Amino acid sequence: MESVNKTAIDSASTVFEKVGEDYIGSKSRFGDILIGAPYSEAFVKTYANERKDVLVIPQTIEYTAFLRNEEMKKVAKSGQEAIKDRAQARRDEIVEQAKADVEGLREHGFYHTGIDSSKGNETYQVKVYYVEFIVDSKERKVTALVRRLNDKTPRHVGRAKAAPNDCFNAHIGKVIALRRSLGLAVPDEYLNAPQPTEVRVGDVIEVTLDSGEIEKKPVISLKAGSLNAHLPGRIIQYPSHYAKIINDSREEVGE
């Protein structure tokens, strides 16, 4: 059985292994997947539909034994930190790109510079418009409301909602929702941004306690080897508990 699995892996161009809720890239002949980096189910489905010879491995004894051999361990050990840094840096770039994109689309509503009649709806192409956002962090969604000059109600509405296993980011949500409301294409980097790998002040984390209870709370400070998260009236450190970043918008800390 293991030899059959190895043959399948060797012949595949790209391999993802499902570990927990994430899909870990373990092979990429095209060079467009970070080895050891986590990807969402939505990303893997999109990627598999657009590429050939993509293998997604369930977490079975046979497959896991092969992927945990010494060679894979060496790759993971030597490249894991660099991979995390690259994934976080790329996410940071995408967030900044999203912010700039939103501001550019807002300005376009006033000045209409560089108009391309092949893109967007009529409002985007020739009308003066104003943008309002509704951010619902609890429901992990953003709504963009677009009004033309003298409109009392929104002319166009665009929505974006984070996938269940993805980290919510309001800035990425805003640009997706706004582009949809204006009839513009949404670039793939917004839809499939890497997940964050570095916890920062202002992030909201989901912490699994020893009891199995899950709590969500903002990170208010960072210390070596621990996270300081906030509960009403007190601060709790989480040096060893599993913590997952579920919101890295950090709007309340000026980002």
Side-chain angles (χ1 to χ4, degrees):
M1 180 67 177
E2 185 171 335
S3 62
V4 175
N5 296 338
K6 185 178 186 306
T7 300
I9 293 170
D10 288 344
S11 62
S13 296
T14 307
V15 177
F16 295 95
E17 180 193 7
K18 191 174 190 301
V19 179
E21 296 180 347
D22 295 321
Y23 291 80
I24 308 301
S26 61
K27 176 183 176 182
S28 176
R29 189 172 297 167
F30 300 117
D32 55 356
I33 294 297
L34 299 178
I35 305 302
Y39 291 90
S40 68
E41 182 176 358
F43 174 86
V44 172
K45 286 182 177 179
T46 301
Y47 183 92
N49 286 334
E50 295 176 352
R51 307 291 198 280
K52 291 184 177 180
D53 303 324
V54 177
L55 178 63
V56 180
I57 299 175
Q59 197 173 15
T60 64
I61 295 175
E62 292 84 9
Y63 283 121
T64 302
F66 175 74
L67 289 176
R68 292 291 184 268
N69 64 20
E70 291 305 314
E71 183 178 354
M72 283 301 298
K73 288 178 181 178
K74 290 179 182 178
V75 171
K77 184 176 180 180
S78 63
Q80 192 66 39
E81 290 305 317
I83 289 166
K84 286 183 178 180
D85 290 345
R86 288 169 60 188
Q88 183 65 62
R90 180 56 182 149
R91 184 175 179 87
D92 291 341
E93 290 173 0
I94 291 171
V95 169
E96 291 306 312
Q97 178 181 324
K99 293 178 183 178
D101 200 353
V102 167
E103 289 308 307
L105 291 172
R106 282 184 185 272
E107 291 182 5
H108 180 84
F110 290 103
Y111 305 112
H112 290 280
T113 57
I115 297 175
D116 182 348
S117 60
S118 68
K119 296 179 181 178
N121 54 29
E122 183 189 26
T123 298
Y124 173 78
Q125 292 171 6
V126 298
K127 302 295 182 180
V128 173
Y129 62 82
Y130 305 91
V131 181
E132 176 188 354
F133 291 108
I134 300 174
V135 178
D136 188 337
S137 298
K138 184 177 181 180
E139 295 296 326
R140 298 159 50 81
K141 63 183 181 181
V142 178
T143 303
L145 308 176
V146 176
R147 292 179 173 85
R148 292 183 186 177
L149 191 64
N150 299 322
D151 276 349
K152 292 184 179 180
T153 58
R155 183 69 60 111
H156 308 286
V157 178
R159 296 179 176 85
K161 184 176 177 63
N165 295 329
D166 285 354
C167 178
F168 174 75
N169 184 281
H171 307 293
I172 295 175
K174 285 178 181 180
V175 74
I176 293 173
L178 181 53
R179 281 184 162 271
R180 286 173 173 168
S181 68
L182 294 172
L184 297 169
V186 180
D188 182 71
E189 57 260 35
Y190 295 146
L191 298 172
N192 295 302
Q195 298 304 298
T197 59
E198 178 183 335
V199 180
R200 297 171 180 172
V201 172
D203 287 348
V204 178
I205 60 173
E206 183 179 86
V207 179
T208 302
L209 304 177
D210 291 335
S211 63
E213 182 182 0
I214 296 176
E215 295 184 342
K216 301 175 183 179
K217 48 185 62 66
V219 175
I220 60 172
S221 68
L222 297 176
K223 291 184 177 181
S226 68
L227 306 175
N228 282 344
H230 181 265
L231 274 175
R234 61 195 177 108
I235 295 174
I236 299 180
Q237 290 189 350
Y238 292 97
S240 60
H241 295 83
Y242 173 73
K244 178 182 179 182
I245 307 169
I246 59 173
N247 185 336
D248 66 346
S249 304
R250 295 188 291 273
E251 291 185 296
E252 25 326 301
V253 292
E255 290 199 16

